[in-house]
Every structure is written in structure tokens, then in C-alpha cells.
């Protein structure tokens, strides 16, 4: 017969898996997708959900118009299950860490500028001594990363700008500057320096709504009494790389991070345009849900803060 510790371990494993089944079904609002994600049969998913409903005496899902929806009890259950599974994961990671093992999963989300120009080197150095830690990086604009964090789809975010969501915690870790650039051989006859008011005379290519880059530019222009809508921004693109490549084939001015155009400026493909009295400085921030960080995400934040000079 198994000893008491074995029984507890077996019970914990079974409970843990039932919660994982529920979380997957709740996130996807589909038993089929949950079965595919967890590599179990759909009847098994149904059985685990029914066991939870019997245990707590509450229906967790309901079908309305052919759609699977969470009940009020299901919504509350998901809130608690997310925290429980995160605690399980952190506990397992810390116990292995004490034993000299590495492991665990780090789910990061980063706004596009950070994902493309800061994180590659940071993650490469971080993972050198953590080969058994699985790292997943999700790319999106600042608003998308914040929403993914709130939905528990990622453990940690790195975004452009400061506090936007009161329920999240923001820690600045690096300064950045946005610059105006244009292709070197253009037909705009641009001087090396413009005034803020001059910008209304030229076509602009900008980031999309929800982007931290666009937020910084919009705020800086409003400080001069110029709404972004008054400018000729005829194209909005979803990444800095898209803007850079677009600029190479058109006569437009783009606003991007100085980190993103170092090579193009050095090679002469793009050139800087000074916009007098327009300050476009910002900070990159680590963003997390309220509460103490644990597991791989805590280790990554600590690593990032101690080694930030390497990524500037």
C-alpha cells in the first residue's frame, strides 16, 4: 500500500490535472480544443469537468445558442484556478532550484520594439545556465501584452511606456528615444531640422493604435497643442520592422526607436530628421500582475535588472 505522502502526491497530481483541464476548456470555451491541447480524449475532459462540478456543487459551463460559456461560478473558478496553478508551478520550480536543478516555464510577452531589439540578447544570456527552462515569447503591441497578462496567458510582460492599467505593476528598466527618420534618397527636399508645426506638411508612417510608440508620439504632440489626427499619417503599420522597410520604398517620415535604426543610419539607407522641441523619450517597463513574482519570471526580472547595461 502507498504511504501517506504517496497518497497526498497522487491526490495533488489528480487535482492539478483536473484544474488544468478546466483552465484549458475555460480559456478556449471548447472541450474539443482542451482535449487537443492536453492530449486527452474529449470524454475525459467532460468527466473531469463534471467531477469538479459535483465537488463544488456548481455548474461551471452552459451552452447558449450553440456556444459554450462560463457560468458565474465558472468565472470565479477560473480566477482561483489561475492563481493555484501558478502557485503549483512556482513551488515545483523553487524545490528543483534548491536541489540544484533548473526547469519550469517562462511565458513572456513583449511589445514589438523590445521583442525585436532588446530581448534576443537578454534571453540568449539568461538561458545559458538554464537550459531546462522552457521560454515562450509572445509579440504584440503594448495593449495586447497587457491584456494577455490580465488573462493569465503570459507570466510577465515588457512594454513601452509606464502605467496604463491600475491593476498591473510597472517597473521601469531601460530608457529609450524615438527619432524621426526618412530614406536618404528621397524627393521631399527635407532640411535636417523641422519644427513641430512643419510635420503637418509631410506624409507620416506611424504605428497602430494600442502601440506604446504611438502613445508617446501622440502625448508629445499634444503638449504642443497638435492632435495626432491633424497630421497626414496615411499609413499605420503593426511593427517597427514594417515601418523601416516601408520607408525604404516611399517618401515619408517615420517615428521609431533609435535602437531599431542604428544599422540603417550607419549604412546610409536612412537619415535622421531633427524635430525641434519635440521630446520623445520613454521608458521600457517590466509589467506584472499584482503580488510577488515567483519561479522563472522572478529570476528573469532579477537577471534583467542586474544586467540591463548589456542590452542598451
Amino acid at each position: 500500500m502507498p504511504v501517506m505522502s504517496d497518497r497526498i502526491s497522487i491526490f495533488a497530481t489528480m487535482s492539478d490535472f483536473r484544474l488544468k483541464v478546466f483552465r484549458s476548456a475555460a480559456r478556449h470555451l471548447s472541450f474539443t480544443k482542451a482535449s487537443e491541447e492536453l492530449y486527452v480524449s474529449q470524454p475525459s475532459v467532460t468527466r473531469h469537468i463534471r467531477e469538479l462540478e459535483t465537488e463544488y456543487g456548481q455548474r461551471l459551463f452552459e451552452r447558449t445558442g450553440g456556444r459554450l460559456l462560463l457560468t458565474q461560478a465558472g468565472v470565479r473558478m477560473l480566477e482561483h484556478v489561475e492563481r493555484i496553478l501558478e502557485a503549483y508551478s512556482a513551488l515545483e520550480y523553487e524545490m528543483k532550484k534548491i536541489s540544484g536543478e533548473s526547469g519550469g516555464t517562462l511565458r513572456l510577452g513583449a511589445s514589438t520594439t523590445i521583442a525585436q531589439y532588446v530581448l534576443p540578447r537578454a534571453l540568449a544570456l539568461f538561458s545559458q545556465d538554464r537550459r531546462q527552462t522552457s521560454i515562450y515569447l509572445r509579440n504584440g503591441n503594448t495593449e495586447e501584452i497587457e491584456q494577455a497578462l490580465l488573462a493569465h496567458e503570459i507570466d510577465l510582460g515588457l512594454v513601452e511606456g509606464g502605467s496604463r492599467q491600475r491593476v498591473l505593476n510597472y517597473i521601469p528598466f531601460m530608457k529609450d528615444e524615438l527619432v524621426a527618420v526618412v530614406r536618404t534618397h528621397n524627393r521631399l527636399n527635407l532640411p535636417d531640422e523641422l519644427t513641430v508645426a512643419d510635420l503637418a506638411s509631410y506624409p507620416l508612417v506611424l504605428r497602430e493604435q494600442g502601440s506604446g510608440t504611438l502613445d508617446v508620439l501622440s502625448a508629445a504632440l499634444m503638449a504642443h497643442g497638435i492632435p495626432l489626427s491633424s497630421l497626414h499619417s496615411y499609413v499605420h503599420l503593426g511593427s517597427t520592422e514594417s515601418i523601416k522597410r516601408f520607408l525604404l520604398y516611399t517618401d515619408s517620415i517615420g517615428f521609431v526607436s533609435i535602437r531599431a535604426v542604428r544599422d540603417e543610419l550607419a549604412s546610409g539607407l536612412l537619415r535622421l530628421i531633427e524635430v525641434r522641441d519635440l521630446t520623445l523619450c520613454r521608458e521600457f517597463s517590466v509589467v506584472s500582475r499584482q503580488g510577488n513574482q515567483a519561479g522563472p519570471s522572478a529570476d528573469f526580472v532579477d537577471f534583467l535588472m542586474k544586467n540591463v547595461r548589456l542590452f542598451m
Side-chain angles (χ1 to χ4, degrees), residues 163-170 290:
S163 178
R164 292 157 51 108
Q165 296 278 352
R166 291 184 178 180
V167 294
L168 296 177
N169 183 44
Y170 296 77
Q290 296 290 351

Side-chain angles (χ1 to χ4, degrees), residues 186-203:
N186 64 81
R187 293 170 293 180
L188 295 176
N189 296 316
L190 282 164
D192 291 333
E193 183 176 274
L194 298 173
T195 66
V196 179
D198 289 336
L199 291 175
S201 302
Y202 299 97

Side-chain angles (χ1 to χ4, degrees), residues 182-183 185-188 203 234 246-247 249-253:
V182 65
R183 66 173 175 173
H185 303 293
N186 64 81
R187 293 170 293 180
L188 295 176
Y234 72 112
F246 184 86
L247 288 173
Y249 299 100
T250 186
D251 295 324
S252 306
I253 299 173

Side-chain angles (χ1 to χ4, degrees), residues 80-148:
H80 288 283
V81 165
E82 294 283 13
R83 291 195 292 267
I84 290 168
L85 292 179
E86 286 172 5
Y88 276 157
S89 179
L91 173 62
E92 182 180 9
Y93 180 80
E94 293 300 330
M95 292 302 101
K96 286 184 177 181
K97 188 175 176 181
I98 290 172
S99 302
E101 302 176 40
S102 62
T105 300
L106 175 60
R107 299 177 304 161
L108 290 175
S111 52
T112 52
T113 300
I114 299 173
Q116 291 171 332
Y117 306 109
V118 177
L119 276 184
R121 187 178 184 189
L123 290 177
L125 295 176
F126 176 75
S127 63
Q128 282 182 355
D129 298 323
R130 300 169 181 83
R131 298 293 184 185
Q132 295 178 344
T133 299
S134 299
I135 301 174
Y136 298 89
L137 175 60
R138 176 171 177 169
N139 188 9
N141 65 35
T142 294
E143 183 177 333
E144 290 168 342
I145 297 306
E146 289 170 335
Q147 291 304 314

Side-chain angles (χ1 to χ4, degrees), residues 13-26:
T13 301
M14 291 174 61
S15 299
D16 177 57
F17 189 70
R18 286 194 313 186
L19 297 183
K20 287 181 179 178
V21 169
F22 168 76
R23 180 178 65 179
S24 180

Side-chain angles (χ1 to χ4, degrees), residues 6-306:
D6 292 333
R7 291 176 181 172
I8 293 173
S9 176
I10 292 170
F11 175 76
T13 301
M14 291 174 61
S15 299
D16 177 57
F17 189 70
R18 286 194 313 186
L19 297 183
K20 287 181 179 178
V21 169
F22 168 76
R23 180 178 65 179
S24 180
R27 285 179 173 177
H28 296 296
L29 292 177
S30 166
F31 286 7
T32 300
K33 290 183 179 179
S35 70
E36 293 171 352
E37 182 177 73
L38 298 174
Y39 301 101
V40 296
S41 67
Q42 190 168 331
S44 180
V45 170
T46 302
R47 176 172 57 82
H48 285 304
I49 298 299
R50 285 178 178 170
E51 287 177 359
L52 284 173
E53 291 178 329
T54 299
E55 182 173 341
Y56 291 100
Q58 298 286 343
R59 289 187 62 192
L60 301 175
F61 294 92
E62 61 183 3
R63 288 195 177 274
T64 303
R67 296 175 58 204
L68 188 67
L69 300 173
L70 283 170
T71 63
Q72 184 179 357
V75 172
R76 295 299 300 275
M77 171 75 81
L78 181 59
E79 292 172 358
H80 288 283
V81 165
E82 294 283 13
R83 291 195 292 267
I84 290 168
L85 292 179
E86 286 172 5
Y88 276 157
S89 179
L91 173 62
E92 182 180 9
Y93 180 80
E94 293 300 330
M95 292 302 101
K96 286 184 177 181
K97 188 175 176 181
I98 290 172
S99 302
E101 302 176 40
S102 62
T105 300
L106 175 60
R107 299 177 304 161
L108 290 175
S111 52
T112 52
T113 300
I114 299 173
Q116 291 171 332
Y117 306 109
V118 177
L119 276 184
R121 187 178 184 189
L123 290 177
L125 295 176
F126 176 75
S127 63
Q128 282 182 355
D129 298 323
R130 300 169 181 83
R131 298 293 184 185
Q132 295 178 344
T133 299
S134 299
I135 301 174
Y136 298 89
L137 175 60
R138 176 171 177 169
N139 188 9
N141 65 35
T142 294
E143 183 177 333
E144 290 168 342
I145 297 306
E146 289 170 335
Q147 291 304 314
L149 194 57
L150 290 170
H152 291 258
E153 295 170 0
I154 57 176
D155 304 313
L156 197 68
L158 295 100
V159 299
E160 303 153 13
S163 178
R164 292 157 51 108
Q165 296 278 352
R166 291 184 178 180
V167 294
L168 296 177
N169 183 44
Y170 296 77
I171 304 174
F173 71 94
M174 180 184 289
K175 293 187 181 299
D176 186 45
E177 180 186 3
L178 298 180
V179 293
V181 291
V182 65
R183 66 173 175 173
T184 299
H185 303 293
N186 64 81
R187 293 170 293 180
L188 295 176
N189 296 316
L190 282 164
D192 291 333
E193 183 176 274
L194 298 173
T195 66
V196 179
D198 289 336
L199 291 175
S201 302
Y202 299 97
L204 306 179
V205 53
L206 305 174
R207 286 290 304 275
E208 79 290 1
Q209 290 294 330
S211 161
T213 298
L214 190 66
D215 287 346
V216 170
L217 178 60
S218 179
L221 290 171
M222 281 304 297
H224 290 270
I226 300 175
L228 195 62
S229 59
S230 69
L231 301 182
H232 182 31
S233 51
Y234 72 112
V235 175
H236 289 259
L237 298 177
S239 73
T240 300
E241 282 297 312
S242 297
I243 290 177
K244 288 198 307 180
R245 294 186 180 279
F246 184 86
L247 288 173
L248 296 178
Y249 299 100
T250 186
D251 295 324
S252 306
I253 299 173
F255 287 87
V256 294
S257 168
I258 186 64
R259 302 173 190 281
V261 289
R262 286 170 175 166
D263 291 344
E264 288 78 7
L265 293 174
S267 65
L269 290 174
L270 298 175
R271 72 180 178 93
L272 290 175
I273 300 295
E274 184 73 24
V275 183
R276 195 183 315 148
D277 299 325
L278 189 66
T279 302
L280 295 173
C281 294
R282 62 180 177 178
E283 289 183 312
F284 293 154
S285 297
V286 174
V287 57
S288 61
R289 291 180 291 275
Q290 296 290 351
N292 295 327
Q293 289 294 307
S297 58
D299 280 357
F300 181 73
V301 172
D302 182 61
F303 169 84
L304 192 65
M305 296 302 182
K306 289 180 178 177

